[in-house]
Amino acid sequence: MFRRHIRQFVQQDLHRFIQQVGPQLAPGAVNLALVTDTHDLTHWRQSLYGPSGYWHVLEQHWLVEQLPITYRVHLGDLVDGSEPGFLTQWRLKNIVADFAASAEPFIITRGNHDDNDKFAEKNRRFVGSFPVQVFDRLVFSPERAQDGISVSEHGLVVADTDFVRVIAVNTSDVPARWINGRKNYDVKKTLAVTAGQLRELAQALATAESRDILIVSHAPAMNRRGKPALKYNGQALHNLLRAFTHRLKGTVMLGDNPDFGGEVPFDFSATAGDLIAVLAGHYHVEADYLVNGIHYSLQNVSALMGRRHALTTKYNRTWNRQLNTPTEYAGYVVSVDPPSRSLQIFGYGAASPERRFIY
């Protein structure tokens, strides 16, 4: 068993959470231990972003050992991406090493901060930004090495149980490259999926057989107002999920943009499973909303987003989050029980204790 010291007040808080949640997890349910937006840093910021991001990962690891967890999940923004590249890579390696040390398989998707462009924005020629191969080497490669987990060329992750297929969509699927010494896309500001990944997703949906589908991603395809939440192809991603729910066959047309255009053929006429929900982070809030009958569920930021953070959300301001208290962190256990068609989201720290849905 993996043993790691965690802070006493966290252990006490998580022990209470385990006692409350454990009895509510149905036998045979698919259970995800989930965090998002840890924004890990080597040095503390005035906002109180800092190395606590890594602590929250270690503490999630302890939690996972106490409950019947199927997958450990991180929805991206593992790091804040605002330090020199060698420091950010070191923090990424530490987080992935902890996930890889779990007995349970892990699913990590890419966040818009994970390419270090927040640091690079300060530099005229984007010095310190990572090429796309860095995240693939540090995160997707060890993820891909696991039995039963597939990671595609574009970062689409697929994991199967008997009755549920979990699909992680990479919403930072940006073909970034340097042109005349400058990066053509600021990945931090460019949420997107390419036609290549949408074709991979169409295949993953079509081959799920009778499994129900749980989609996870860093950012949702659509926001609460029913508008695209991605700069490129958010509507197309949503339309592909709609086509799956209606068992349709056809083609999604993406236009002629050389990086994000193309065609996505699909055939869901033989599928039998249902779409459970789309779980995402990125917005640093909790929210649940329907767009064309598709349930989008947002989870709160793990990193301490307190009143001193310049971009803090109303949701986190209400929590009045404080270091060295349970409001410092936020995490979840997500439980899917196909026989009862239930989705339960249990939160600890700065998170709702319980949300229940029927899909």
Side-chain angles (χ1 to χ4, degrees):
M1 179 183 291
F2 183 91
R3 297 189 182 277
R4 183 68 63 122
H5 172 74
I6 69 170
R7 294 168 292 173
Q8 185 175 6
F9 82 91
V10 179
Q11 186 168 344
Q12 291 171 347
D13 181 47
L14 294 184
H15 182 68
R16 288 191 295 269
F17 176 77
I18 291 162
Q19 288 182 315
Q20 293 168 0
V21 171
Q24 301 186 66
L25 302 178
V30 176
N31 302 317
L32 281 61
L34 185 151
V35 293
T36 185
D37 297 82
T38 44
H39 286 271
D40 186 49
L41 284 161
T42 305
H43 300 103
W44 289 104
R45 294 288 190 266
Q46 185 178 4
S47 66
L48 294 181
Y49 274 15
S52 55
Y54 180 55
W55 303 347
H56 300 167
V57 169
L58 299 180
E59 289 152 1
Q60 185 208 42
H61 194 155
W62 183 87
L63 173 70
V64 164
E65 292 178 334
Q66 319 304 316
L67 289 171
I69 297 299
T70 314
Y71 300 111
R72 267 187 91 184
V73 178
H74 198 305
L75 296 186
D77 283 359
L78 290 76
V79 292
D80 194 53
S82 58
E83 296 182 304
F86 74 96
L87 290 176
T88 297
Q89 290 194 48
W90 175 46
R91 305 307 290 187
L92 276 172
K93 289 177 184 177
N94 287 342
I95 291 173
V96 175
D98 184 77
F99 272 83
S102 288
E104 297 75 15
F106 65 89
I107 297 170
I108 299 176
T109 192
R110 189 178 189 169
N112 59 304
H113 280 252
D114 291 328
D115 284 273
N116 218 47
D117 283 2
K118 185 175 178 179
F119 173 81
E121 285 169 352
K122 304 170 188 175
N123 300 285
R124 187 176 301 172
R125 301 185 74 79
F126 248 66
V127 175
S129 176
F130 297 157
V132 294
Q133 295 85 354
V134 170
F135 194 86
D136 188 87
R137 172 173 55 85
L138 296 181
V139 182
F140 284 150
S141 288
E143 189 171 2
R144 193 179 284 121
Q146 301 175 98
D147 292 336
I149 305 287
S150 70
V151 183
S152 74
E153 175 188 354
H154 292 275
L156 187 85
V157 184
V158 177
D160 280 343
T161 69
D162 289 342
F163 302 107
V164 175
R165 170 167 284 187
V166 181
I167 302 176
V169 176
N170 172 17
T171 55
S172 291
D173 180 19
V174 180
R177 54 194 177 275
W178 274 259
I179 299 174
N180 297 323
R182 186 165 181 83
K183 200 174 186 182
N184 62 333
Y185 292 106
D186 182 341
V187 178
K188 186 171 78 69
K189 299 177 180 177
T190 311
L191 293 164
V193 290
T194 61
Q197 186 181 182
L198 289 176
R199 285 191 285 267
E200 294 167 349
L201 174 60
Q203 178 70 9
L205 293 170
T207 58
E209 299 175 334
S210 62
R211 294 181 182 90
D212 293 336
I213 302 293
L214 181 65
I215 302 288
V216 300
S217 59
H218 178 64
M222 306 294 282
N223 63 27
R224 282 183 282 190
R225 298 182 298 278
K227 302 297 183 182
L230 310 184
K231 186 170 183 178
Y232 297 102
N233 293 335
Q235 185 70 57
L237 171 56
H238 177 74
N239 289 345
L240 194 63
L241 297 179
R242 289 184 68 192
F244 173 78
T245 65
H246 292 288
R247 315 279 192 252
L248 301 180
K249 179 179 179 179
T251 302
V252 175
M253 309 298 294
L254 307 180
D256 57 4
N257 183 299
D259 290 322
F260 298 104
E263 299 182 0
V264 182
F266 60 86
D267 184 355
F268 304 134
S269 57
T271 58
D274 293 313
L275 181 63
I276 300 165
V278 180
L279 306 183
H282 180 63
Y283 282 107
H284 297 194
V285 298
E286 275 186 11
D288 289 277
Y289 52 93
L290 293 176
V291 180
N292 304 120
I294 294 175
H295 176 194
Y296 287 93
S297 181
L298 304 183
Q299 318 311 317
N300 196 24
V301 51
S302 171
L304 198 173
M305 194 172 213
R307 291 178 179 270
R308 287 195 290 172
H309 195 292
L311 300 177
T312 196
T313 60
K314 181 179 179 181
Y315 181 81
N316 282 291
R317 189 176 294 111
T318 301
W319 274 101
N320 191 23
R321 299 177 67 176
Q322 302 289 328
L323 189 66
N324 294 326
T325 75
T327 62
E328 175 195 303
Y329 45 79
Y332 302 87
V333 168
V334 177
S335 184
V336 177
D337 183 39
S340 64
R341 298 179 57 79
S342 70
L343 167 68
Q344 301 177 89
I345 305 176
F346 303 100
Y348 59 88
S352 297
E354 185 175 336
R355 291 176 279 168
R356 294 177 179 267
F357 309 94
I358 300 298
Y359 65 87

